[in-house]
Amino acid sequence: MSKVITSVNQLDFNVSELENMPAPEKVLLVKPTYFSVEYVINPHMEGHIGDVDKLAAQNEWEHLKAAYEELGFYVHVEEGRRGFPDMVFCANQSLPNITKDGKKEVIMSVMNSEQRKGEVPFIQKVYEETSYEIVHLDNTRFSSFEGMGDAIWHFKKRLLWGGYGYRSSKEVYDVISETFDTPVIALELVDERFYHLDTCLCMLDSETVMYYPKAFTDNGKELIHTLFKNVIEVSKYEAEKLFACNATCPDGKNVFIQQGCVDVNHKLKEAGFKIHEFSTYQFLKSGGSVFCMKMLLW
Ligand code: ARG
């Protein structure tokens, strides 16, 4: 049975009583060999066509890779593919799940833009090789769903947060909720600069989130404040220009974040998180940063 929640009056649970889920221990990264800005499909890409410094991008990516290894994650590196300059953003082509009995499954995305549709089969191969069961959405019913760019697991709980409006359609969450047997909190996104949920909301641990309030409706903000004990707000500058909310906290303690988010880093430290700053300036030109440059896997 599907359960998609869009306002607080539909809530019939507390996060603490939801089923536990293991934290992922693997990271998928795609090499930035063919990364560049070649078209404009989000406002951040405007003015950046042909503007990527490839060597700098490679360097930025290597630093991130090393950091996941240092944290103890198993890192699976996939080759980039010529003609797919955005494939490095491997949060977008899929949404993996682990069931109660440890079965691994994945829903493959239906990319919103023509330019990115061809990335999906390459990422699907990675799942096939690691014994995930593959689920395809009916693309005659759903025009778009961009994986973990828009659908983010609550930290260690069977609860999914799903953004919609720009890259994913709201209706898709009924199917996802049913397929993964999980409630979904569906949040409408209302500012095109924050086109994926991972650009304006960052899961930190089971009780803590950071987010940029203006990217959400009142219903969305109320849901966020109701389901998280600690809510850290990000300023417009750090959210929009530095993609602070596109940080990632893969273990509930260490936060990987774009360099220079001075204000929110202060709040994160006060809340007990450990900050690791990275330069992702080349990737910001394409409208992406730390979170969307990886996929967490079981
Ligand atoms: N240029 C890419 C796009 O517009 C960037 C994707 C970034 N991914 C993310 N989940 N925020 O699709």
Side-chain angles (χ1 to χ4, degrees), residues 190-219:
V190 294
D191 181 333
E192 61 167 356
R193 288 164 297 185
F194 301 94
Y195 59 95
H196 273 147
L197 184 61
D198 73 7
T199 65
C200 45
L201 180 135
C202 177
M203 189 68 55
L204 293 165
D205 64 22
S206 311
E207 299 188 330
T208 317
V209 72
M210 78 171 151
Y211 90 130
Y212 177 61
K214 288 200 173 132
F216 296 92
T217 63
D218 287 343
N219 274 346

Side-chain angles (χ1 to χ4, degrees), residues 29-36 52-63 65 77-82 84-89 282-283 293:
L29 298 176
V30 172
K31 282 191 191 167
T33 323
Y34 301 103
F35 169 62
S36 68
V52 168
D53 177 337
K54 294 242 180 191
L55 220 60
Q58 179 70 35
N59 217 315
E60 293 179 349
W61 182 89
E62 294 284 355
H63 276 95
K65 174 174 174 277
V77 174
E78 189 60 20
E79 294 294 328
R81 296 298 198 289
R82 193 186 297 278
F84 295 105
D86 273 333
M87 195 172 149
V88 68
F89 299 111
Q282 299 308 315
F283 301 93
M293 290 168 67

Side-chain angles (χ1 to χ4, degrees), residues 41-42 45 86 89 92 116 149 167 195-196 198 286-287 292:
I41 54 171
N42 72 57
M45 297 172 96
D86 273 333
F89 299 111
N92 302 158
R116 297 199 62 188
R167 298 295 187 87
Y195 59 95
H196 273 147
D198 73 7
S286 188
C292 49

Side-chain angles (χ1 to χ4, degrees), residues 3-19:
K3 187 193 246 183
V4 178
I5 290 153
T6 54
S7 69
V8 286
N9 55 30
Q10 298 165 322
L11 284 173
D12 56 3
F13 57 81
N14 289 317
V15 171
S16 59
E17 68 204 35
L18 290 171
E19 191 189 305

Side-chain angles (χ1 to χ4, degrees), residues 119-135:
E119 299 171 18
V120 179
F122 294 120
I123 300 293
Q124 183 177 321
K125 260 192 70 214
V126 177
Y127 288 104
E128 285 166 356
E129 284 158 10
T130 47
S131 61
Y132 270 77
E133 185 182 313
I134 315 285
V135 180

Side-chain angles (χ1 to χ4, degrees), residues 116-293:
R116 297 199 62 188
K117 287 187 192 291
E119 299 171 18
V120 179
F122 294 120
I123 300 293
Q124 183 177 321
K125 260 192 70 214
V126 177
Y127 288 104
E128 285 166 356
E129 284 158 10
T130 47
S131 61
Y132 270 77
E133 185 182 313
I134 315 285
V135 180
H136 287 286
L137 293 166
D138 177 355
N139 62 6
T140 59
R141 275 179 69 205
F142 306 108
S143 52
S144 52
F145 170 62
E146 293 202 350
M148 210 174 266
D150 268 326
I152 302 174
W153 285 109
H154 197 97
F155 187 70
K156 290 193 178 175
K157 286 287 180 186
R158 187 161 299 284
L159 174 65
L160 201 58
W161 292 79
Y164 68 89
Y166 296 104
R167 298 295 187 87
S168 299
S169 62
K170 185 183 175 195
E171 297 70 41
V172 84
Y173 291 114
D174 281 316
V175 176
I176 293 174
S177 170
E178 197 162 334
T179 308
F180 284 172
D181 189 20
T182 182
V184 177
I185 309 290
L187 303 171
E188 184 177 4
L189 304 178
V190 294
D191 181 333
E192 61 167 356
R193 288 164 297 185
F194 301 94
Y195 59 95
H196 273 147
L197 184 61
D198 73 7
T199 65
C200 45
L201 180 135
C202 177
M203 189 68 55
L204 293 165
D205 64 22
S206 311
E207 299 188 330
T208 317
V209 72
M210 78 171 151
Y211 90 130
Y212 177 61
K214 288 200 173 132
F216 296 92
T217 63
D218 287 343
N219 274 346
K221 282 182 272 201
E222 220 184 329
L223 280 162
I224 291 167
H225 281 270
T226 305
L227 291 170
F228 288 97
K229 206 165 130 203
N230 315 312
V231 178
I232 297 175
E233 292 195 3
V234 180
S235 70
K236 181 173 191 288
Y237 174 74
E238 292 182 1
E240 187 186 333
K241 303 294 180 210
L242 299 176
F243 268 54
C245 297
N246 203 253
T248 189
C249 185
D251 61 354
K253 292 185 203 83
N254 290 279
V255 179
F256 292 3
I257 189 167
Q258 161 62 33
Q259 261 170 26
C261 300
V262 178
D263 177 58
V264 86
N265 283 349
H266 181 73
K267 298 180 187 170
L268 289 167
K269 275 183 207 153
E270 277 204 332
F273 293 95
K274 185 158 181 231
I275 312 297
H276 306 257
E277 292 188 85
F278 294 89
S279 164
T280 61
Y281 286 110
Q282 299 308 315
F283 301 93
L284 289 174
K285 294 174 185 171
S286 188
S289 184
V290 181
F291 183 92
C292 49
M293 290 168 67

